Amino acid sequence: MLTQTLPRSTAFAALEALARDRILILDGAMGTQIQQLGLSEADFLGRGSGCACRHATDHPQKGNNDLLVLTQPQAIEEIHFRYAMAGADIVETNTFSATTIAQADYGLEGAVFDLNAAGARVARAAMDRAEATDGRRRFVAGAVGPTNRTASLSPDVNDPGYRAVTFDDLRTAYGQQVRGLIAGGADILLIETIFDTLNAKAAIFACFEAFAERGERLPVMISGTITDASGRTLSGQTPTAFWHSVAHARPFTVGLNCALGASAMRPHLAELAGVAGCAICAYPNAGLPNAFGQYDETPDQTAAQVAEFAREGLINVVGGCCGTTPDHIRAIAAAVKPFPPRALS
Ligand SMILES: [Zn+2]
């Protein structure tokens, strides 16, 4: 691809240098932190806070967590700040569902650029505060979720050839998201929770189109999710096949997140670490959800399992997904500190 000849951003070089030196820490879950705020519909709309979203629609917005970067920016900034002070070098923007495809559920397709630009700005503001507090450089990763549609599988069991979304639909939607994230100051683009590799390839394509416009290449982090004991993604790939499908992006990291707890993730991570020609990133859930959909694993329990990844030399970047908190991230950072990062060629 022509864009492979683009110069790399300064953040890209800085991250690679840091990743050779030590294991970098990624933040934890945003959803559980937002839930604890107990926000009402009026809070989601920002009424009374002086920052109401000019895109508000007739659709109910409670549960549209991504909207909060516009309507409750101080609350989101505070969550990012807490993760940074817990030890995170990299925090993810609150933009997992900020695509036209996912925001269609809320009638906010027109807000997508603003959501992503504001999401990156809010995270950057928190990182600037953290850097001013302890002098450590922090990075903002623009979170790009899988959307709620899949390009390589049919949602209709009676029509296996049907697709609810095409590669070009996804490429366009991801393009809007990525341009917003870059405009807001994201240092990294993090394509995460990938269950369908074709969706991820559309996101990678959109990133490289945006990089070509910008004239420089930002670091891309690519994170798949293994959803069952067979050790495959929903679209049927093993970790090795997944790596070969995304290697053309020359990512900063490839890795796994979500779905399984750390122990169940370990063999799949080891397989990926055995084949990938870039840094490895893992951010598991705090164990498996209980009958109520909650995560019971304590910070020490998660950290002890993640420390095994580090002891085995499997990881360069590590953090937490669903159910993890700033306390989990603090415990993980302490637990991996004695270990060197996985060797990079
Ligand atoms: Zn998760």
Side-chain angles (χ1 to χ4, degrees), residues 252-334:
F252 165 51
T253 67
V254 70
L256 298 172
N257 74 290
C258 207
L260 308 171
S263 291
M265 180 186 278
R266 199 209 64 83
H268 314 309
L269 193 68
E271 180 181 337
L272 199 54
V275 293
C278 67
I280 294 287
C281 175
Y283 50 115
N285 290 348
L288 291 168
N290 63 26
F292 305 102
Q294 289 156 345
Y295 296 85
D296 300 324
E297 226 172 68
T298 65
D300 286 344
Q301 287 171 333
T302 307
Q305 297 168 63
V306 169
E308 289 304 307
F309 298 170
R311 187 190 306 278
E312 292 179 64
L314 299 178
I315 49 169
N316 303 96
V317 182
V318 70
C321 200
C322 304
T324 59
T325 66
D327 286 341
H328 286 80
I329 297 307
R330 191 174 289 109
I332 287 170

Side-chain angles (χ1 to χ4, degrees), residues 41 61 96 114 132 151 187-188 249 274 296:
E41 174 70 16
Q61 296 298 325
F96 185 80
D114 284 355
D187 302 299
I188 302 166
D296 300 324

Side-chain angles (χ1 to χ4, degrees), residues 19-158:
R20 284 175 196 284
D21 196 44
R22 63 180 173 87
I23 295 172
L24 299 180
I25 306 299
L26 185 68
D27 64 0
M30 178 60 79
T32 36
Q33 298 298 300
I34 290 174
Q35 238 167 28
Q36 284 176 10
L37 299 173
L39 301 176
S40 66
E41 174 70 16
D43 294 328
F44 272 85
L45 289 170
R47 285 182 194 140
S49 70
C51 57
C53 167
R54 67 188 170 85
H55 300 282
T57 72
D58 294 342
H59 291 60
Q61 296 298 325
K62 190 172 174 181
N64 188 5
N65 285 355
D66 295 31
L67 179 60
L68 297 173
V69 300
L70 292 175
T71 58
Q72 300 291 340
Q74 296 89 344
I76 301 302
E77 185 185 323
E78 196 52 37
I79 294 169
H80 289 314
F81 182 73
R82 283 205 295 268
Y83 274 120
M85 297 316 293
D89 300 289
I90 302 168
V91 299
E92 294 184 45
T93 57
N94 182 39
T95 56
F96 185 80
S97 300
T99 54
T100 49
I101 293 168
Q103 285 297 315
D105 290 353
Y106 296 101
L108 282 180
E109 297 96 321
V112 160
F113 185 88
D114 284 355
L115 289 173
N116 287 287
R121 277 196 299 269
V122 165
R124 187 68 256 167
M127 295 311 96
D128 288 349
R129 272 171 61 204
E131 288 178 3
T133 305
D134 64 14
R136 266 177 55 201
R137 184 166 180 184
R138 303 300 204 293
F139 299 87
V140 171
V144 174
T147 82
N148 45 7
R149 307 220 183 135
T150 166
S152 62
L153 300 167
S154 174
D156 181 353
V157 288
N158 295 313

